[in-house]
Amino acid sequence: NIAMAAQMTDAHRRFLQVLMSHGIMEGSEARKLHRRCCEIHKVYYAHDKLDDFISTVNSHLQPLFMQIRKGMSEGDGRAHYALVNLAETEITKMASDYTENELELFRKTMDLIISSENGFASSTDILNLADQLKTKKMKKKEAEQLLKVFVEDKWLSERNGEYTLHTRCIIEMEQYILSNYQDMARKCNICHSLAIQSQVCESCGIGMHLPCVRKYFRAQTEPRCPQCNDFWSCDIP
């Protein structure tokens, strides 16, 4: 442990503190932060060593059941880094911030998003759930306000009145979703991480993230499924 502790510098600590205050950070921002932390604390900096730098932080977070994880934005395919609590297997991370009926609305929203074909749920469908909650019914106005809070807290993302899971939520809750939605949740055939917004092969049923679809078929003259080789009938984004 002493040998390990020697590797952790003030640059690592500063990086961790900033990431904690953000909750999640886009890859380019994390790279800038890495550089700034190393410069401030006069620590060796190499532009291509961010993942090694994070590994050092992670080795110290291990006893605390925390980890900085890398994930991908399903919208544009960009890398993101988020601090994840490994000890909290369920939505317990959220339990300290929300009441029981707020959590129930979140779970029901998650059900809608994961069971949908495109990984989105409309605000109308979500608001219709507000007065069906078992814990305590919620007025539509309250539910609208709560959806705004879920977006601000980076659990949901909203686009033209449609809601999906935020990148932070996917990184934090990947294991929870895969084990609790075994019939519906699927991994991307290309990058092997959880795919909420995805295209699905009509023949064999495999799914791929939209950015992965774009990348995979870029080099192909005729889009064929990587699994069964049938024609890929979805529109390439």
Side-chain angles (χ1 to χ4, degrees):
N1 272 357
I2 293 165
M4 244 173 56
Q7 303 172 342
M8 185 87 163
T9 66
D10 285 342
H12 294 94
R13 287 184 197 96
R14 181 181 288 260
F15 183 91
L16 179 59
Q17 278 169 344
V18 176
L19 183 61
M20 278 170 85
S21 68
H22 284 71
I24 185 168
M25 204 174 252
E26 205 252 308
S28 60
E29 289 301 308
R31 286 192 292 277
K32 273 186 216 152
L33 176 64
H34 172 214
R35 181 177 186 162
R36 200 160 68 239
C37 292
C38 290
E39 283 171 356
I40 290 169
H41 296 288
K42 298 181 172 46
V43 168
Y44 169 73
Y45 164 76
H47 71 92
D48 57 348
K49 292 281 186 264
L50 173 61
D51 287 349
D52 292 352
F53 184 84
I54 286 173
S55 292
T56 301
V57 179
N58 280 341
S59 66
H60 289 260
L61 289 176
Q62 209 176 347
L64 308 171
F65 300 103
M66 306 279 285
Q67 190 181 54
I68 297 171
R69 274 204 188 143
K70 190 177 182 177
M72 179 186 85
S73 156
E74 295 199 322
D76 57 21
R78 287 182 186 168
H80 283 71
Y81 293 87
L83 187 65
V84 177
N85 191 330
L86 305 173
E88 297 173 338
T89 47
E90 224 195 286
I91 307 191
T92 40
K93 167 113 177 58
M94 299 175 72
S96 53
D97 300 327
Y98 304 103
T99 62
E100 242 178 281
N101 68 329
E102 289 173 344
L103 275 183
E104 191 187 346
L105 185 68
F106 181 80
R107 279 197 187 92
K108 285 185 179 296
T109 302
M110 209 182 211
D111 293 345
L112 281 179
I113 290 168
I114 292 169
S115 61
S116 72
E117 279 187 9
N118 63 353
F120 281 89
S122 73
S123 55
T124 315
D125 288 346
I126 298 169
L127 295 174
N128 285 339
L129 299 170
D131 55 3
Q132 298 167 28
L133 301 179
K134 290 190 182 76
T135 39
K136 181 180 161 219
K137 291 183 177 27
M138 201 182 277
K139 292 191 180 80
K140 286 238 161 84
K141 268 269 167 277
E142 284 176 83
E144 274 174 6
Q145 199 45 49
L146 180 60
L147 283 177
K148 279 191 187 130
V149 173
F150 285 146
V151 170
E152 278 164 24
D153 291 350
K154 301 187 176 102
W155 295 111
L156 296 177
S157 293
E158 185 266 339
R159 200 169 70 205
N160 308 326
E162 298 271 313
Y163 290 83
T164 188
L165 301 183
H166 193 284
T167 308
R168 173 196 178 179
C169 180
I170 293 172
I171 295 174
E172 292 229 5
M173 295 199 186
E174 180 167 13
Q175 288 320 114
Y176 172 84
I177 292 168
L178 287 169
S179 55
N180 284 272
Y181 295 89
Q182 286 175 1
D183 303 339
M184 292 180 279
R186 58 168 65 87
K187 285 188 171 189
C188 171
N189 191 263
I190 301 299
C191 72
H192 309 296
S193 54
L194 176 66
I196 302 294
Q197 297 171 51
S198 61
Q199 287 187 354
V200 176
C201 174
E202 285 182 3
S203 304
C204 70
I206 62 133
M208 292 199 273
H209 286 122
L210 306 187
C212 293
V213 166
R214 209 167 30 233
K215 229 184 264 176
Y216 182 76
F217 290 129
R218 196 184 286 151
Q220 298 194 15
T221 44
E222 192 182 45
R224 292 196 165 273
C225 173
Q227 182 82 12
C228 69
N229 206 35
D230 270 11
F231 183 74
W232 194 264
S233 54
C234 309
D235 292 334
I236 310 301

